[in-house]
Amino acid sequence: MCLLFPAGPTWFSASIPIGSHRRTSVTWVFTPVTTEITSLDTENIDDILNNADVALVNFYADWCRFSQMLHPIFEEASNVIKEEYPNENQVVFARVDCDQHSDIAQRYRISKYPTLKLFRNGMMMKREYRGQRSVKALADYIRQQKSDPIQELHDLAEITTLDRSKRNIIGYFEQKDSENYRVFERVANILHDDCAFLAAFGAVSKPERYSGDNIIYKPPGHSAPDMVYLGSMTNFDGTYNWIQDKCVPLVREITFENGEELTEEGLPFLILFHMKEDTESLEIFQNEVARQLISEKGTINFLHADCDKFRHPLLHIQKTPADCPVIAIDSFRHMYVFGDFRDVL
C-alpha cells in the first residue's frame, strides 16, 4: 500500500509482530473487462451510495503503483458480481480519485492507497476490506455481504442453545413482509459483525408477541437479564442506535488484529493497560468510564489492552508490565499518562 501520511499511534504499528499484517497478494489472471466502474465526485457520491444496497468503493491515487495494480482486479470482480446481481442498486462498485477529490478522501479519513471501504445504503461500515486483492476474494466478500445476516428460529426452544458468549439480538415478528422486519434487517446488515441476529415469525413468535412485534437483547453470560427495545420499530435511527449501544461495548479490547481498524475510526484513545488476569481493574475502569465519561462516547475510543502483549507501547511511557494497571491517553501525536490508577475513583 502507499501511505499518504502516518495514521494513528506510532507505537502500535511499531509493535505489530512480523508477519501479522494482512496479505496483499495479487492474482494476475483476467478476462476482458466489460463493466465501467462508477466514478464518484462531490456531485454524485451521496446519491449513488444512498441508493445502493451494498457499495464497495476503491479510494485510489494514480501515482500509487498498488492502486494501478488493483484497477483491473477491481473491474473484473465487478464483472463477476454484476452477472449475479444485475439490478443496478443491488451492488455498486465505485471509485474515488483521491488526488482529484481530496475533500472526499478527508471526509472518509483515507490515509493510504488503495483503500477499499464498504457502504450500505450510504452508511460507511467501520471495517474496511482487508482481504486478498484478487478477483475471487473480492467477489466472495461481496457474496458474503449479500448473504442473510439473520438466523430464522423455527422453534423457540432453539433459544436455549444460543451461544451465550456472544451478544444476541432477537426479533419477534408477526410477518416477515413488514416494515418492522425491514428495519430490523437493515440494522442487522450493518451490525452483524458485532452481534448475532435471530428472528421468529408468525405462530413460532406468537408467545413472545403479547404486546406486538418486539426486539430483545440477550447479553453475554447467563446471569444478566434480557433487555427490551421500547422505541418505534419502524424508526431506523432509533432502532439502530439502541442495538448498536448493546452490540458495541463502551470499553473495547485493542489487539494486534483490530488496532489498525480502531485507529481508522479517527478518535483518540483512552487505554487501560492491565494484566490479563486482573479483571478487577478492568471492571473498575469500565464502571468509571460509564459513570464519568458516557457523554464523551463518539469522541474518544475507550479501550483496554493486555500489558504483557503490549510491552513495547508501555516502554514509550516509561512503564513495564510490573507498573500495571496504567491508564494513558493516546492523541496519535503524544501519549499522556494518568498519574495513579486508584485516583479514577
Side-chain angles (χ1 to χ4, degrees):
M1 63 182 171
C2 304
L3 289 174
L4 181 61
F5 50 82
T10 55
W11 59 261
F12 183 83
S13 58
S15 58
I16 296 177
I18 293 172
S20 66
H21 284 83
R22 65 180 180 275
R23 295 174 61 192
T24 56
S25 57
V26 175
T27 302
W28 289 95
V29 180
F30 311 116
T31 53
V33 172
T34 57
T35 301
E36 282 199 18
I37 303 299
T38 304
S39 292
L40 301 179
D41 55 39
T42 51
E43 300 295 322
N44 67 8
I45 186 168
D46 291 326
D47 182 57
I48 289 173
L49 295 184
N50 289 343
N51 288 295
D53 294 342
V54 171
L56 186 63
V57 181
N58 174 16
F59 293 86
Y60 72 95
D62 277 332
W63 53 263
C64 173
R65 70 184 182 92
F66 296 105
S67 290
Q68 297 165 14
M69 291 163 66
L70 182 61
H71 284 321
I73 299 170
F74 195 71
E75 290 168 354
E76 181 59 20
S78 175
N79 289 339
V80 172
I81 290 298
K82 197 69 177 176
E83 290 183 7
E84 299 177 28
Y85 302 96
N87 184 291
E88 184 179 20
N89 293 326
Q90 281 183 298
V91 179
V92 170
F93 276 68
R95 63 188 174 194
V96 174
D97 183 335
C98 293
D99 283 338
Q100 295 293 321
H101 303 288
S102 58
D103 53 335
I104 297 178
Q106 290 173 6
R107 174 179 171 183
Y108 294 113
R109 300 194 183 100
I110 305 302
S111 61
K112 61 186 182 303
Y113 307 125
T115 291
L116 298 178
K117 287 190 176 287
L118 186 79
F119 293 78
R120 290 184 179 275
N121 302 111
M123 181 179 289
M124 184 180 74
M125 300 297 95
K126 63 183 181 182
R127 291 178 174 87
E128 69 179 56
Y129 176 76
R130 300 179 183 280
Q132 188 177 4
R133 305 297 173 92
S134 71
V135 172
K136 182 181 184 303
L138 287 172
D140 286 345
Y141 174 69
I142 293 299
R143 293 184 190 109
Q144 181 186 24
Q145 297 303 317
K146 291 295 290 180
S147 63
D148 193 343
I150 302 170
Q151 176 188 337
E152 183 173 348
L153 298 170
H154 301 284
D155 189 322
L156 293 184
E158 294 174 40
I159 294 174
T160 62
T161 63
L162 290 181
D163 182 352
R164 294 309 299 269
S165 67
K166 297 181 178 179
R167 294 173 168 81
N168 291 282
I169 302 288
I170 307 176
Y172 299 102
F173 305 92
E174 182 179 1
Q175 298 178 42
K176 195 169 189 177
D177 184 16
S178 65
E179 186 60 24
N180 284 352
Y181 181 70
R182 280 189 281 273
V183 169
F184 184 74
E185 191 173 35
R186 279 185 66 193
V187 174
N189 274 318
I190 296 168
L191 295 173
H192 62 88
D193 287 332
D194 301 296
C195 268
F197 284 82
L198 307 99
F201 306 94
V204 175
S205 66
K206 190 173 183 179
E208 297 290 339
R209 287 189 291 102
Y210 42 84
S211 58
D213 290 358
N214 66 86
I215 300 170
I216 70 162
Y217 165 62
K218 286 186 173 294
H222 294 275
S223 57
D226 294 350
M227 301 177 71
V228 181
Y229 175 56
L230 301 176
S232 167
M233 293 181 65
T234 57
N235 182 316
F236 170 79
D237 289 338
T239 305
Y240 173 79
N241 289 335
W242 185 83
I243 294 178
Q244 183 194 42
D245 184 63
K246 305 299 175 284
C247 290
V248 182
L250 184 59
V251 178
R252 293 178 283 176
E253 182 177 12
I254 183 170
T255 65
F256 291 122
E257 289 71 32
N258 69 1
E260 189 176 355
E261 174 187 302
L262 290 170
T263 297
E264 284 164 356
E265 293 180 16
L267 303 177
F269 295 168
L270 178 66
I271 312 176
L272 167 70
F273 294 96
H274 67 103
M275 299 304 290
K276 187 174 183 179
E277 62 274 12
D278 180 14
T279 56
E280 181 183 355
S281 295
L282 175 57
E283 186 175 349
I284 291 172
F285 182 70
Q286 289 170 327
N287 290 341
E288 292 309 310
V289 166
R291 186 175 72 87
Q292 301 183 47
L293 299 173
I294 190 66
S295 62
E296 300 296 336
K297 184 178 181 181
T299 61
I300 296 173
N301 262 330
F302 303 109
L303 306 168
H304 69 99
D306 184 335
C307 272
D308 207 36
K309 292 181 180 176
F310 283 77
R311 289 171 176 267
H312 185 80
L314 286 171
L315 289 176
H316 279 256
I317 52 175
Q318 289 80 51
K319 300 289 184 182
T320 70
D323 297 307
C324 291
V326 173
I327 296 174
I329 290 174
D330 189 342
S331 71
F332 296 175
R333 296 191 177 197
H334 302 286
M335 288 190 74
Y336 305 91
V337 183
F338 186 74
D340 187 331
F341 175 79
R342 290 168 294 185
D343 289 341
V344 298
L345 299 171

